[in-house]
Amino acid sequence: MIKTQPIDEFKPTVDLAIWDVRDTDKYQEGHIAYAVNMPIECINETTLAQTCGDIYVLCGGGTKAGRACELLESLDPTRTYVHLTGGTRGAAALGWELIKEK
């Protein structure tokens, strides 16, 4: 099942599976706390099997995250995938501190 949640209603915590599906360079330029980089082209049955429970998915603004959620659902329709609309740009606009790795 795919759900949507605006980024401004989301609180990232260490116990959530948060996937940032942008490419590695964009991820390293700035991502929200606790997000792991899982580029959309790397999503497959193996990577999905390494995570339990719901997966929160975001990208820069929302387009790629929506496609990633559809891909995830096609791989395992029994789980819940939460598309965080607004993405990293939305989080930055809200004043969230982005973690930079470059």
Side-chain angles (χ1 to χ4, degrees):
M1 171 189 309
I2 298 173
K3 296 182 178 182
T4 59
Q5 181 175 355
I7 195 72
D8 64 344
E9 295 177 7
F10 178 69
K11 180 171 176 36
T13 62
V14 70
D15 60 322
L16 298 176
I18 306 167
W19 286 9
D20 187 322
V21 298
R22 297 175 297 157
D23 65 54
T24 301
D25 287 341
K26 292 292 184 189
Y27 172 83
Q28 290 178 344
E29 288 174 6
H31 58 86
I32 68 169
Y34 309 112
V36 296
N37 190 215
M38 183 61 64
I40 193 169
E41 59 272 4
C42 296
I43 295 173
N44 55 45
E45 290 175 343
T46 302
T47 56
L48 181 55
Q50 296 171 359
T51 302
C52 298
D54 297 351
I55 300 176
Y56 294 80
V57 183
L58 78 159
C59 59
T63 305
K64 193 177 283 190
R67 290 195 319 264
C69 286
E70 290 172 4
L71 172 59
L72 288 163
E73 186 176 50
S74 75
L75 295 171
D76 184 354
T78 66
R79 293 173 64 176
T80 299
Y81 309 100
V82 182
H83 176 184
L84 296 172
T85 59
T88 305
R89 286 192 297 273
L94 292 167
W96 291 18
E97 180 179 348
L98 299 182
I99 299 163
K100 298 178 191 234
E101 298 184 16
K102 277 191 169 183

